[in-house]
Structures are given as structure tokens and as C-alpha cells.
Amino acid sequence: MRSVLLGVGGHLPERVLTNAELAKRLDTSDEWIVERTGIRERRIAADDEKTSDLACVAALNAMNAAGREASDIDLVIVATTTPDLTFPATAARVQAELGINQGAAFDLQAVCSGFIFALATADNFLVRGQAKTALVIGAETFSRLLDWDDRGTCILFGDGAGAVILEAEDGPGDRGVISTFLRTDGRMHDLLYVDGGVSETNTVGKVRMVGNAVFRQAVEHISGAMLEACARAGLSIDAVDWFVPHQANQRILDGVARKLGIDAQKVVSTVAFHGNTSAASVPLALDVAVRDGRIKPGQLVLMEALGGGLTWGAALVRM
Ligand code: COA
């Protein structure tokens, strides 16, 4: 039994926030942000636009691409750090909005690694025969967690959503999820966190980060996760056609590619246009490269991410 990726979809809110706009209110500049991060602009959800709203549009785009309807889907996982409400799960709202009236729906919290964790979770459900067709979404209104006076964090993040349809398939063929690797090291909790929460402060809190330490951890652990996912599949990293990384910072993408000797042309980068959208960034980048024809059926794609926790992981998929 294999989990075949049938379709992908993305969605960004309309409002564009450029570096120049940020530089009007913060001690920063377009040049600094572009040089240190590669980010040129990010999208910000409207006041009345919720994570579930973004998730539903991305999900419908993925369902259209996959040729699947609400009645086909029996598992919904939403990876998010910015749920509509503390409970119920945003996935429950998404399930109802989309008219999916069967199966389970739940949220998964692994911050920027959320989509990779959700993909691996869905794969396990499908391979175990506990669901047939899964809708896996990464969706965030991350702007709501930002301290807009902290130039070290607020320049990096944005809002958006991406989704895939995974379906259990039996029999011959080599399409689908080939291997996944997930890792959490809670000892690095304080490198990237939100200083509020239901149980500890009874507030929502704002993002806090030791940027340069996260940067170093990211290059090391992302490289390791990519090699591990390939090793688990018995494949060399040279066999990979496309790398679809978490879109955090262009310098992290470049650092990983250099470390592993990867041709930069094979790395899908969309960070310039939406910044770090946390759990949404991997499926958003995948969607762009599938739609523009770079990623073709049969090709081998390696996705990866690192985020708060720290969490990190990788997933190798034959499209
Ligand atoms: N504009 C101008 N200067 C800024 C700035 C900004 N937006 N943000 C930070 N700086 C300043 C710092 O205050 C510091 O000034 P100082 O030397 O006077 O103290 C200087 O730039 C260097 O700070 P440092 O944090 O070492 O810079 P950096 O090269 O590491 O870049 C990040 C900062 C945040 C861009 C970078 O560390 C980063 O991207 N880290 C990874 C973050 C990430 O991806 N997190 C999410 C993972 S999911």
C-alpha cells in the first residue's frame, strides 16, 4: 500500500506587505532584508480572514487538481500554529466548510515543520488502511503572532495555505510517499517560541527567536534529515529531481544546497514572494513548481522543514 500524491493547491491572501512598507515603520531596509533573507514581500490576511478560510481555498484547489470531491475524503489534517480558535480543531471547521461528512479531522502542531509531520501522519493512516483519501493542509495566519516592533522576527513571516490530496493505492507502480523522517528536540524549545499560551499565560503571545542560533541549527538538521530520508529509501541524494524546502530564508536554502552539493537550479524557492508562511510554505512551493511545469509526474521530490520545538523532518515522494 502506498500514499499517492494526487494533487496540490495553494492560496495566499490578497494584501501584499513589501519590505519598503516595513522600512517606513521599523529600523530596517529593503536591502538588508533581501540580502539577509531573500524576502521581498509577504502576504497578510485581512482582519476577518481566518486560517480556516485560507485552508479551505487551498484545499479546494488541491481537490480540483486531484479530481476528488468532498465525498471521497475520509481524513483531514490541518498543520497550523495559528488555529481559528483554541478549540475545536481548525480541521473540524475546514471539514464542515468543505462538506466532508465522513472520517476524522484534526490539527497537528509542529510549527514550520507541520506540513512534513502531517504528511508523514497521513501516510501512516493510509498505509495502515485506516483511511483511503487524505486532505493534508498547512495553513497559517502567522502575522497575528508577530511583534511588529521586533525587526528580527516580523520581517520574516507571512500568511498563506497549501494543501495536498494523498490517496492509498495498492498494486504495481512506484508513485507515492517513499520515505519520511521526523525529529523533535525539545531541549531547543527556547530558540524559537511564542511567549504566551492558554495554560501558561492565558494570552496568545508573540513570536520570540534567537535568529542566528536557529539559522545554524536549520542548516545542520535540515541537511541531516534530507540525507536520512534518502537513506531510508536506499537512494542517493543525486537521484532527487527537485528539492522543495520550507521557505524560511534564502540563505538557509543556499547553505543546505552548498553543504549537500545540490545544484541550486533543482531547489524550488518562493520565499521572495511570501516569506516564511510556517506550515504552509512547503505545499505553497510545491504548488508553484507543479503548476509552472517544473515538477512532472514520475519525478522524485524531496521536501524538508525545520521549526519551533525544535522540530525538523523530510519527506521523499515520487510524483
Ligand atoms: N534590519 C536591520 N538590522 C537587523 C534586522 C533587520 N530587520 N534584524 C536584525 N538586525 C540586526 C541585529 O539587531 C544585529 O545588530 P547588532 O549587530 O547591532 O546587534 C545585526 O542585524 C545582526 O543580527 P543577527 O541576528 O546576527 O543577523 P543575522 O545575519 O543572523 O540575520 C535573521 C537575522 C533573523 C535574518 C537570521 O538570523 C535568520 O534568518 N535566522 C533564521 C530564522 C528563521 O528562519 N527562523 C524560522 C525557522 S522556521
Side-chain angles (χ1 to χ4, degrees), residues 234-297:
L235 289 167
S236 135
I237 201 138
D238 301 331
V240 175
D241 296 298
W242 293 102
F243 297 87
V244 181
H246 169 46
Q247 308 287 318
N249 180 326
Q250 185 62 43
R251 281 166 55 223
I252 297 178
L253 272 57
D254 295 343
V256 170
R258 242 191 334 269
K259 196 173 161 86
L260 298 181
I262 292 167
D263 176 358
Q265 300 295 320
K266 290 176 153 189
V267 181
V268 177
S269 173
T270 55
V271 69
F273 305 106
H274 55 63
N276 182 345
T277 55
S278 187
S281 90
V282 171
L284 274 170
L286 184 68
D287 180 51
V288 166
V290 167
R291 273 191 297 111
D292 70 18
R294 270 180 288 174
I295 296 180
K296 297 182 178 58

Side-chain angles (χ1 to χ4, degrees), residues 30-215:
D30 178 48
E31 295 72 31
W32 193 96
I33 299 172
V34 171
E35 191 197 313
R36 300 290 181 112
T37 72
I39 298 167
R40 294 182 181 277
E41 58 190 42
R42 69 288 293 141
R43 300 295 183 99
I44 305 295
D47 289 347
D48 60 353
E49 208 169 17
K50 302 178 297 296
T51 293
S52 64
D53 297 324
L54 302 178
C56 283
V57 181
L60 283 171
N61 290 338
M63 287 158 68
N64 282 337
R68 291 294 179 273
E69 295 177 1
S71 56
D72 298 315
I73 295 165
D74 56 0
L75 177 65
V76 180
I77 307 180
V78 176
T80 187
T81 304
T82 47
D84 288 12
L85 300 170
T86 304
F87 86 83
T90 300
R93 197 172 246 177
V94 168
Q95 188 206 43
E97 290 278 325
L98 296 176
I100 299 169
N101 299 327
Q102 58 285 319
F106 57 88
D107 286 1
L108 188 149
Q109 160 60 294
V111 205
C112 297
S113 309
F115 181 77
I116 302 291
F117 276 57
L119 192 77
T121 304
D123 177 43
N124 279 284
F125 271 76
L126 298 189
V127 168
R128 289 268 298 157
Q130 294 191 337
K132 170 91 170 86
T133 306
L135 169 60
V136 182
I137 306 172
E140 304 279 13
T141 45
F142 214 83
S143 60
R144 311 247 156 93
L145 288 178
L146 297 175
D147 173 353
W148 290 101
D149 293 322
D150 178 8
R151 64 180 183 170
T153 54
C154 75
I155 59 149
L156 297 172
F157 296 93
D159 303 335
V164 299
I165 299 288
L166 280 185
E167 193 161 87
E169 209 173 280
D170 213 351
D174 61 354
R175 290 180 69 202
V177 177
I178 300 173
S179 68
T180 58
F181 169 75
L182 306 180
R183 177 81 169 91
T184 301
D185 189 340
R187 290 171 298 182
M188 290 185 277
H189 179 281
D190 293 348
L191 293 186
L192 175 54
Y193 68 102
V194 166
D195 63 2
V198 180
S199 183
E200 191 163 312
T201 61
N202 200 10
T203 61
V204 172
K206 299 291 176 201
V207 173
R208 304 295 169 210
M209 180 174 71
V210 188
N212 44 22
V214 172
F215 191 101

